[in-house]
Amino acid sequence: MSQRPERARFAEKPANKADGAPDMILLGRLVLAAALLIAALFIHSTVVKIILLVLSAIASGYDLGLKAFDNILDGEYFATPIIVLFVAFVSFLIGFGAEGAAMLLLYQIGLLLIAFVQKRTRAAALELLKGADEEISERARELYKEDAALRLEMAPAAEKSANFVLKIGMIVALLYIFLLPLLGDYSYRISIHRGLMIALTAIPASVVAAMPFTALVGLCFGARNGVLFRNARAMEHTADANVAVFDKAGVFSSGEPELESFRSDVLDERTFLSFAAHAVYYSEQAFAKAIPPLNEQDYRLEVISDFVDVPGCGVELKIGGSPVVLATKAYLTARGIQLPETEEDGDKYYLTVAGRYIGSLSITTQANENAAELLDGIREAGFRETILLTEDGEGESRRLAEELGMDEVYGECDTERKLRHIEELNQSDRNHVMFLYVNGVETHTAADVDVRLNGKAKYADVAVPAEKSAALPFAIQICRRMCQVAKENAIFVFGVKGLLIFLSMIGICSIWFVMFMDIVAVLATLLNAIRVTKDPLIDLRRANEQDDFQQ
């Protein structure tokens, strides 16, 4: 069965020009339209004036008519080109042809100016990447060239509000057209003129025009500081986060665990290490990685059976049929196994065979030198709760949590338990969870935002190199500034539209002036996007964070 061929489009996108060069044909048409409009203003003959105004409108709005035709075929009856052309057409019919022609000319000039400012804003945003690490800069340029990466989560809500305003505006315009002559000493010509201005003001496109560029500035500024966000939505979720969940492994410890020392009064060193290496062979716990590198004997995996990994405590298994436990002192003591009084507690694991103490191993990990600064920065950023997830036993977990000043701690956590705790935390509407980890989680968690502190972006919303982890709190402030500026822009445009509607209703306005102010509003919001790198105009956190924002 043959497919129906796609219909021809009347307004295809023009081929890309080198370095964004303007369309010279369009510029020529706009110059001609402007000349015809100016000439019409000085002509006294009504017929000639109308002819010149019509020619001016055709010269400036020709391609707009083609776009409007395509919108009609697509069923987009409230698209901007259709509204603009409708207002221009009706303005000619009611004797305001000069305003209609001027409005079309301003609209086309405005599109050129907006395109130019968008190009310069994009260039300024990408210029921020020159101060970033070369690898991060390349990854950022690759990620952010897609339009989807720049779409804010608040954009659909803003678009919905703008479309609602458009519908209300159309209703108000119609009511105004019919009711004004009935309630006052006004002609339908005046009421239609004011109704057209209200309808033109309600065009929604200007509300969200600057949002992608605001997002791009924020994303590039974050990358410049060493923090790579996957997309704009990741920045929004980071801005909203109020609960920080830390995975101890890698975040508060640097590198792999190391076997600092070991002792056995029963077995020789080689045999003891081989026994311990067999015991942890199937374990996924962090401490298990410290033992195999020192084992000099071959593995005989056939002697291992009934293996059980006990997160935060150790392992249980059978070796050659004999029950073996390699675990913490608290775990063994709870099972009634006696350990030598001389043995000290801490990061030690004790090996028993058939309930008999064989020896001990001391495991150490180097503290992450950036961890304290990172944790302090997270608290200063206003997070209301900090939570620690660790594979350590309950006693060691609580000791570490108190030392770090954590609000809550969950010990004896393997990967599955960590994921379950995060999911449970995020079920509360009050919690917006940020999960900070290094390795061991090969999926996206239920957290609002996953932050990986080793520079790798796989499965993560935010990637931060380990040496740049202390920059994350500042990146959180960037996210909040980006959201604040985006909201400022939307509020500003809605405010301008509200003012224009008021001025239109009382008659202190004109059709071309409405278009002019709408364009000015869009240009202002685009220029305001770069303020993501500085203090926003409206910043509720400003009083407490002035020092943090200094460049």
Side-chain angles (χ1 to χ4, degrees):
M1 183 176 178
S2 62
Q3 293 182 342
R4 186 174 67 177
E6 184 180 356
R7 63 175 175 78
R9 306 291 296 186
F10 283 86
E12 297 291 348
K13 289 184 178 180
N16 291 331
K17 294 175 169 47
D19 196 29
D23 187 338
M24 298 309 297
I25 296 178
L26 176 59
L27 286 178
R29 282 173 35 217
L30 295 181
V31 170
L32 175 61
L36 291 170
L37 177 60
I38 293 171
L41 296 177
F42 291 95
I43 296 295
H44 296 290
S45 173
T46 304
V47 176
V48 176
K49 182 189 290 286
I50 293 175
I51 291 174
L52 291 176
L53 290 175
V54 170
L55 291 175
S56 175
I58 292 174
S60 59
Y62 165 73
D63 58 333
L64 198 61
L66 300 181
K67 292 176 184 177
F69 189 81
D70 279 335
N71 291 139
I72 293 172
L73 293 178
D74 290 334
E76 300 170 353
Y77 302 114
F78 289 99
T80 300
I82 294 176
I83 296 174
V84 170
L85 283 179
F86 175 79
V87 170
F89 177 74
V90 176
S91 67
F92 271 89
L93 294 181
I94 62 174
F96 288 91
E99 289 189 21
M103 182 267 294
L104 287 174
L105 179 61
L106 281 172
Y107 178 74
Q108 294 285 44
I109 293 174
L111 291 182
L112 290 177
L113 288 174
I114 290 169
F116 175 76
V117 174
Q118 286 177 337
K119 176 188 169 185
R120 297 307 304 165
T121 302
R122 178 179 289 275
L126 295 176
E127 188 76 14
L128 294 170
L129 294 176
K130 289 187 177 180
D133 176 82
E134 184 176 351
E135 181 182 353
I136 290 178
S137 177
E138 290 179 2
R139 289 164 64 187
R141 290 178 187 276
E142 185 66 24
L143 281 173
Y144 306 154
K145 68 182 182 181
E146 300 293 335
D147 290 341
L150 307 180
R151 185 166 176 79
L152 290 169
E153 209 166 61
M154 69 176 75
E159 289 172 347
K160 184 177 180 180
S161 298
N163 287 325
F164 176 76
V165 169
L166 172 62
K167 294 175 183 177
I168 295 298
M170 293 300 178
I171 295 172
V172 170
L174 289 173
L175 291 174
Y176 204 80
I177 288 171
F178 290 107
L179 294 179
L180 186 62
L182 299 177
L183 300 176
D185 188 19
Y186 295 96
S187 66
Y188 277 104
R189 178 173 177 269
I190 297 299
S191 68
I192 292 173
H193 179 246
R194 295 185 184 182
L196 291 176
M197 289 188 288
I198 295 172
L200 192 62
T201 302
I203 291 176
S206 54
V207 175
V208 296
M211 282 190 178
F213 298 91
T214 305
L216 180 62
V217 173
L219 290 164
C220 291
F221 194 37
R224 178 178 179 171
N225 286 276
V227 181
L228 184 68
F229 293 90
R230 182 179 294 276
N231 50 40
R233 294 184 179 186
M235 291 195 77
E236 287 182 281
H237 291 170
T238 300
D240 292 336
N242 58 12
V243 175
V245 179
F246 297 88
D247 183 12
K248 175 199 169 186
V251 177
F252 295 104
S253 59
S254 178
E256 298 291 348
E258 296 180 356
L259 180 59
E260 182 180 38
S261 64
F262 59 91
R263 177 181 177 180
S264 176
D265 296 331
V266 179
L267 304 174
D268 62 81
E269 292 184 359
R270 295 179 74 250
T271 304
F272 177 71
L273 285 175
S274 177
F275 219 92
H278 278 76
V280 299
Y281 186 85
Y282 292 109
S283 177
E284 296 182 356
Q285 298 182 62
F287 86 94
K289 300 176 183 178
I291 302 172
L294 298 180
N295 177 33
E296 298 177 355
Q297 297 189 17
D298 294 335
Y299 285 96
R300 295 176 54 200
L301 302 182
E302 68 275 6
V303 303
I304 301 175
S305 62
D306 300 339
F307 176 83
V308 177
D309 215 1
V310 186
C313 297
V315 297
E316 290 192 39
L317 68 157
K318 288 183 178 179
I319 297 180
S322 298
V324 175
V325 180
L326 178 58
T328 61
K329 184 177 183 178
Y331 184 79
L332 291 170
T333 302
R335 294 172 63 88
I337 297 176
Q338 297 296 319
L339 299 174
E341 294 295 333
T342 56
E343 294 292 340
E344 298 179 357
D345 200 5
D347 293 334
K348 282 184 177 292
Y349 289 83
Y350 302 85
L351 181 66
T352 65
V353 177
R356 179 188 175 192
Y357 169 74
I358 300 297
S360 64
L361 305 98
S362 294
I363 309 295
T364 63
T365 54
Q366 295 181 348
N368 187 340
E369 58 184 14
N370 295 320
E373 188 176 356
L374 169 63
L375 185 56
D376 289 342
I378 290 293
R379 291 196 182 101
E380 290 174 4
F383 280 69
R384 63 178 180 80
E385 191 172 9
T386 54
I387 298 172
L388 180 66
L389 303 181
T390 173
E391 296 178 356
D392 298 330
E394 291 295 340
E396 175 64 15
S397 298
R398 284 194 296 271
R399 183 197 66 77
L400 180 61
E402 290 176 4
E403 181 181 319
L404 295 172
M406 292 287 181
D407 297 303
E408 199 169 349
V409 60
Y410 296 98
E412 301 181 3
C413 290
D414 56 10
T415 300
E416 183 179 347
R417 287 184 181 179
K418 291 175 184 177
L419 296 176
R420 188 164 63 249
H421 283 309
I422 292 169
E423 184 176 1
E424 290 171 355
L425 285 167
N426 217 31
Q427 287 177 354
S428 171
D429 293 336
R430 295 178 63 246
N431 293 341
H432 298 281
V433 179
M434 172 188 287
F435 176 51
L436 301 95
Y437 72 106
V438 174
N439 287 310
V441 179
E442 299 302 321
T443 184
H444 195 294
T445 73
D448 294 283
V449 57
D450 285 341
V451 180
R452 196 165 186 178
L453 298 173
N454 64 356
K456 298 179 181 179
K458 188 175 182 181
Y459 302 117
D461 301 300
V462 187
V464 188
E467 66 276 11
K468 293 280 190 179
S469 60
L472 180 61
F474 180 71
I476 294 171
Q477 304 296 353
I478 294 174
C479 295
R480 290 172 178 170
R481 279 184 272 175
M482 184 273 292
C483 293
Q484 190 69 35
V485 170
K487 291 173 183 177
E488 285 176 16
N489 287 340
I491 292 170
F492 173 74
V493 173
F494 276 121
V496 170
K497 288 182 177 294
L499 177 61
L500 289 174
I501 289 175
F502 173 74
L503 294 177
S504 299
M505 294 179 71
I506 64 176
I508 311 177
C509 208
S510 62
I511 292 174
W512 69 265
F513 184 76
V514 168
M515 179 57 67
F516 173 76
M517 289 304 299
D518 203 49
I519 291 168
V520 169
V522 174
L523 294 175
T525 57
L526 286 168
L527 293 172
N528 193 47
I530 202 66
R531 288 185 59 83
V532 172
T533 63
K534 301 178 177 65
D535 287 339
L537 292 174
I538 304 171
D539 191 352
L540 300 179
R541 303 178 180 84
R542 192 172 195 165
N544 296 324
E545 299 169 355
Q546 277 283 8
D547 293 338
D548 295 336
F549 290 166
Q550 298 301 317
Q551 301 300 313

